Amino acid sequence: MKREVLLIFLMAVGLLTGCQTVGQTSPELPTPENLYSTDNTIDMFVYQETAYVNAEDTDWVAEQEFVKGAMAGKIKNSGVTQEFQDWDATILPVDTEIYETEDAQILLAFCGEELIPYLKYVEG
C-alpha cells in the first residue's frame, strides 16, 4: 500500500513540474541584433548566420595559440547595427580576412599583422 501511494505521489509531482514550463517564455536567442541591442559597442561579425564576438580578452581564449587555417571569407560591410547578414561587422573594416582554426568555435580576423580571435556566440 505504501508503495502504491508513493508511486502515485511521484507521478503527481512529475506531472505538476512537467506542466510548469508550458506557460513560461524562452529567453531571447543570441541573434546578432539581440547582442547589439544589449551592447552597442560589441565587436562582432556574422558568418553562417551566427555571431562571432571578439574574444581577445577572454582568458581561456587568450591562453591558447591558434593556427591560421583556410580563409573563410572577408568582411563585406562595416558599421552594421541592424538586419545583420553574413560578413557584416560592427567594427572590423571591409575586406578584413577571416580564417578558420582547428577549433570550430574560433575564427581569426587578420588585422594588419595581428590575428584576432573571435568566438562563436551560441546559446547556453
Side-chain angles (χ1 to χ4, degrees), residues 50-75:
T50 302
Y52 283 79
V53 178
N54 185 316
E56 284 180 300
D57 296 329
T58 304
D59 290 339
W60 71 267
V61 175
E63 293 170 359
Q64 297 186 36
E65 286 191 34
F66 297 99
V67 177
K68 181 172 82 170
M71 188 168 81
K74 292 182 180 183
I75 299 300

Side-chain angles (χ1 to χ4, degrees), residues 18 22 25 28 47 60 63 65 67 71-73 80-81 83 103 109:
V22 172
T25 60
E28 287 187 6
Y47 171 59
W60 71 267
E63 293 170 359
E65 286 191 34
V67 177
M71 188 168 81
V80 179
T81 61
E83 298 181 20
D103 183 338

